[in-house]
Amino acid sequence: MLQAQINIIGARAVEFERGLPDLTLTPWRRVWLSSREPVWTLVDAEDFHWLMQWQWNVWHGGRGKECFLYAKRNTGPRRDTVRMHRELQIRSDPRDDAFLGRHVVDHINGQTLDNRKANRRWSTQRDNIINRRCRGEAPSLDNILSGLLAGLPAGQFEEIPFD
């Protein structure tokens, strides 16, 4: 069945955008995962338009204090879960099915909503568990973004004058 493309870029960024840095002139983008709460994931700008062909939402993984938030979407008639970090890693570093069956994607800094290429790597399940941080120990997305923005060259956000 053929469906018309829907432009949903920024569709969830309603009132939550206020007070947050504009990422338009940066190498990163924010993808909103909920319309009810301010939950978003950080991605590379080069992946943004590819990701926005789907509707992403938030998944609460783990139990109790070990609950982590992940960006995911549902696909197919069974509504199977597809996690954003895995889709992005397969897209940027494709591997064969045997490898994919034995490996997961590790978030290097422990922040499961930081889906930039610089924060993802292939890992065995064992190594991923060893590298796991308890919720609250991983840096917040706001702190990660602040550090990234501070590292940009001076004048990155200056508007281009049109005389």
Side-chain angles (χ1 to χ4, degrees):
M1 179 161 101
L2 204 58
Q3 293 183 359
Q5 275 193 316
I6 300 171
N7 182 2
I8 59 170
I9 295 174
R12 292 189 172 199
V14 184
E15 61 196 63
F16 301 133
E17 283 283 339
R18 267 182 262 147
L20 294 176
D22 180 4
L23 301 181
T24 305
L25 300 176
T26 72
W28 312 287
R29 297 293 180 270
R30 185 182 292 111
V31 176
W32 289 98
L33 303 176
S34 174
S35 57
R36 287 171 272 168
E37 53 186 336
V39 180
W40 51 278
T41 183
L42 186 63
V43 300
D44 295 306
E46 65 191 50
D47 294 319
F48 182 74
H49 289 288
W50 180 78
L51 288 168
M52 295 312 294
Q53 65 184 308
W54 300 288
Q55 181 72 41
W56 295 96
N57 51 66
V58 65
W59 181 71
H60 301 265
R63 298 170 197 235
K65 292 182 183 177
E66 292 298 315
C67 182
F68 295 94
L69 304 179
Y70 293 91
K72 63 102 175 172
R73 66 183 174 90
N74 298 102
T75 184
R78 293 185 0 199
R79 309 285 298 149
D80 295 325
T81 297
V82 175
R83 294 193 186 109
M84 182 186 287
H85 61 280
R86 188 159 177 91
E87 290 287 287
L88 287 169
Q89 190 67 10
I90 291 169
R91 183 173 189 242
S92 68
D93 187 11
R95 302 296 179 106
D96 62 33
D97 288 340
F99 182 92
L100 294 176
R102 295 186 316 269
H103 291 82
V104 296
V105 179
D106 181 39
H107 289 91
I108 298 166
N109 65 14
Q111 175 51 262
T112 56
L113 291 176
D114 181 356
N115 286 312
R116 296 173 299 123
K117 186 176 186 174
N119 190 46
R120 300 185 322 261
R121 64 181 168 199
W122 289 115
S123 173
T124 64
Q125 183 71 36
R126 179 183 177 277
D127 288 342
N128 186 254
I129 290 169
I130 291 168
N131 294 331
R132 184 172 291 161
R133 299 179 188 194
C134 294
R135 187 171 186 204
E137 289 180 10
S140 72
L141 277 178
D142 291 326
N143 288 343
I144 292 166
L145 189 54
S146 293
L148 291 170
L149 294 174
L152 288 175
Q156 176 80 27
F157 293 110
E158 290 178 15
E159 299 262 343
I160 300 170
F162 295 99
D163 294 344

